[in-house]
Amino acid sequence: MPVREVRGRELKMKAIVFGAGKIARGFIGQLLYLSKADITFVDIDQQLVDRLNKDQKYHVYILGDSSLDSDVTGFQAVQLEDEKRIGAALVEADIAFVSVGGANLKSLGEKIGRIYKENGIPKKPFNFVTCENWRHAGAFLYEGITAEMEEQEKTMFDQFVGVNEAVIMRSATQPSDELAMQDATGVWVQNYWYLPISAEHFKGELPPIQDAELMQNFGDFLTQKMYTNNTSNAVIAYHGYLAGYELLAEAANSPEVSALLDEVYEEINQTLVAELHVDPQQQKAFAEKARAKYTDWTIVDRVIRHGKDPLRKLGAQDRLIAPARMALNHGVYPRVIIETIAKALFFDEESDASARKLKAMRREHGIPYVLQTVCELNEQEPLYREVLKAVERICKEGMVKGHE
């Protein structure tokens, strides 16, 4: 694999963004635009690519404060199979962001690895930043990129290229059919601006991107975010689903779910203070900010969207099992998290392949089998027994009626 010396770079920042979905356009794209960067979006959707190239702009709507809206311009869009143009953009870019969905990281990495083999690795510090709500996103991308590299190539890659992670805390919502018809490429997003990026593997300096910063001890912050935001989000989604709520804010503001949030944030706060040794007041403020986000009526989002992919969300390292185990290890009884695990087992939304598979698995093999194979719980451990008790109770109380 050749190594190319890059000289005579323009002063204007150039960025490549893999993915052109809501977060890619409505968060990363907006920050890059406000930072006066030239942007190349890469996406698999040819229709979206064509529309973006035709319009040469799209609008970002900031929920609750239209004065912060942006018409994003100064970009080009490239289809994912056009490896020649992607290679040219990579050579010129100062940084790359990745927002393609966690399940697609490895395959995208393999494509990037092929492009590097074809074009060579520019001899300059360069960084990929994954922007996914996915554990170990950077590792998945790195594994894909380096999968076919010879040892010498991998050494060269490691010398010049960093694969890093960001925490994405801005939400994008699904517009109504009417709004989508009026503005096909518009994105409606939360009024949140901070983009922390792991400093651990970062090469060189972070380009001047508005509201982005490198963060030390990123792993602890990521754990804090996941087990505060994602865990409480799961409480709202899975309780809300079985209770028949359609909108996330509607569920979060309901008396029954609001009471559960009171309790679960106490569980989470005690656990993370014990595990991460974070300041209790800082963790409390972190939790209050998460709650404010999910109860915000201006963010029109659907319960079903947040409940989707239950097989992943019930995994041993994800937002429910991991913090429940952590809590028990620190002497905190996570009653609400345990009940949420039980309710997640009955998320049977027909439009979601993961939910259909979970339902079939539960019906064919039973809940103990799901807890052992999906959640990786040992039948001897306390959490396994507590979840089974919670399942028995919610079934007895009729909470899963119609979802058996």
Side-chain angles (χ1 to χ4, degrees):
M1 182 183 294
V3 177
R4 299 175 55 174
E5 190 82 48
V6 177
R7 295 187 174 90
R9 265 181 41 208
E10 296 180 15
L11 293 178
K12 189 171 185 181
M13 176 175 37
K14 295 178 183 291
I16 183 168
V17 182
F18 290 92
K22 294 184 183 70
I23 293 301
R25 299 200 315 278
F27 190 25
I28 306 306
Q30 186 184 33
L31 293 185
L32 289 169
Y33 164 75
L34 293 173
S35 305
K36 305 187 185 309
D38 284 336
I39 310 166
T40 298
F41 288 108
V42 178
D43 200 88
I44 196 170
D45 185 342
Q46 183 68 62
Q47 186 175 1
L48 175 60
V49 167
D50 291 343
R51 181 64 182 263
L52 289 172
N53 284 328
K54 178 183 176 184
D55 294 349
Q56 284 296 294
K57 69 175 182 179
Y58 66 85
H59 196 76
V60 179
Y61 299 85
I62 303 297
L63 299 169
D65 192 346
S66 60
S67 69
L68 299 173
D69 287 6
S70 298
D71 264 337
V72 175
T73 59
F75 63 81
Q76 65 171 335
V78 178
Q79 210 279 335
L80 183 61
E81 297 307 312
D82 193 344
E83 296 187 4
K84 184 175 180 180
R85 289 183 65 195
I86 296 171
L90 265 177
V91 167
E92 293 294 324
D94 298 288
I95 193 167
F97 292 92
V98 178
S99 181
V100 296
N104 301 310
L105 285 168
K106 191 172 180 182
S107 60
L108 173 65
E110 290 167 354
K111 179 178 287 291
I112 292 170
R114 291 195 299 272
I115 291 170
Y116 272 132
K117 276 187 173 291
E118 182 69 25
N119 294 276
I121 300 173
K123 196 176 180 181
K124 63 173 182 178
F126 186 76
N127 293 278
F128 291 90
V129 179
T130 60
C131 304
E132 311 286 356
N133 192 8
W134 196 271
R135 285 190 65 82
H136 309 303
F140 278 102
L141 183 66
Y142 177 85
E143 182 181 339
I145 295 174
T146 59
E148 299 300 323
M149 288 185 180
E150 302 292 337
E151 193 61 35
Q152 184 178 359
E153 296 168 343
K154 186 173 178 294
T155 299
M156 191 64 66
F157 179 85
D158 290 340
Q159 179 181 349
F160 290 105
V161 184
V163 181
N164 314 274
E165 299 183 20
V167 171
I168 303 299
M169 298 175 70
R170 174 184 279 190
S171 294
T173 70
Q174 183 64 37
S176 66
D177 292 342
E178 182 181 358
L179 286 174
M181 288 287 289
Q182 292 173 6
D183 188 351
T185 58
V187 194
W188 285 258
V189 297
Q190 180 193 14
N191 187 1
Y192 188 91
W193 297 87
Y194 181 45
L195 182 66
I197 299 169
S198 172
E200 183 180 359
H201 302 295
F202 207 88
K203 306 295 185 182
E205 296 183 0
L206 178 67
I209 300 170
Q210 176 172 315
D211 297 304
E213 74 169 9
L214 295 181
M215 175 179 283
Q216 305 294 335
N217 301 317
F218 181 83
D220 284 352
F221 182 75
L222 187 61
T223 299
Q224 187 180 19
K225 181 265 181 184
M226 175 165 280
Y227 298 159
T228 304
N229 289 61
N230 294 28
T231 300
S232 58
N233 176 267
V235 171
I236 300 165
Y238 294 123
H239 290 272
Y241 178 75
L242 292 181
Y245 290 106
E246 180 183 352
L247 299 179
L248 196 73
E250 180 187 17
N253 284 289
S254 68
E256 64 271 34
V257 178
S258 184
L260 291 172
L261 288 176
D262 288 340
E263 192 173 343
V264 82
Y265 283 125
E266 281 300 312
E267 297 171 6
I268 292 166
N269 292 351
Q270 291 178 45
T271 299
L272 292 180
V273 167
E275 177 73 15
L276 302 178
H277 307 293
V278 294
D279 178 75
Q281 292 305 312
Q282 188 267 347
Q283 172 57 34
K284 183 179 179 182
F286 202 86
E288 287 172 352
K289 186 175 288 188
R291 185 174 195 156
K293 171 181 177 177
Y294 298 131
T295 55
D296 187 347
W297 286 101
T298 68
I299 302 176
V300 181
D301 215 345
R302 284 161 178 75
V303 165
I304 286 173
R305 189 176 81 83
H306 288 265
K308 283 186 172 182
D309 202 3
L311 289 175
R312 174 172 66 88
K313 292 172 182 176
L314 282 165
Q317 302 304 318
D318 217 278
R319 66 206 65 197
L320 292 171
I321 302 299
R325 276 175 163 159
M326 190 183 292
L328 291 170
N329 286 340
H330 288 287
V332 177
Y333 185 73
R335 188 195 74 81
V336 176
I337 301 177
I338 288 169
E339 185 174 312
T340 303
I341 295 168
K343 290 187 174 180
L345 294 166
F346 293 89
F347 182 80
D348 57 356
E349 170 57 35
E350 279 298 315
S351 66
D352 180 35
S354 175
R356 294 196 305 271
K357 185 175 179 180
L358 172 61
K359 181 178 181 179
M361 189 184 301
R362 174 167 52 80
R363 285 184 166 182
E364 183 177 349
H365 299 289
I367 283 175
Y369 174 85
V370 177
L371 295 182
Q372 292 169 35
T373 58
V374 176
C375 306
E376 299 179 38
L377 292 177
N378 186 305
E379 58 186 325
Q380 302 302 319
E381 67 179 293
L383 183 58
Y384 176 89
R385 298 191 296 272
E386 294 303 312
V387 172
L388 287 180
K389 288 179 189 175
V391 169
E392 183 180 3
R393 183 179 64 79
I394 65 173
C395 289
K396 186 175 181 180
E397 294 179 5
M399 294 184 185
V400 300
K401 188 174 181 180
H403 301 276
E404 298 92 341

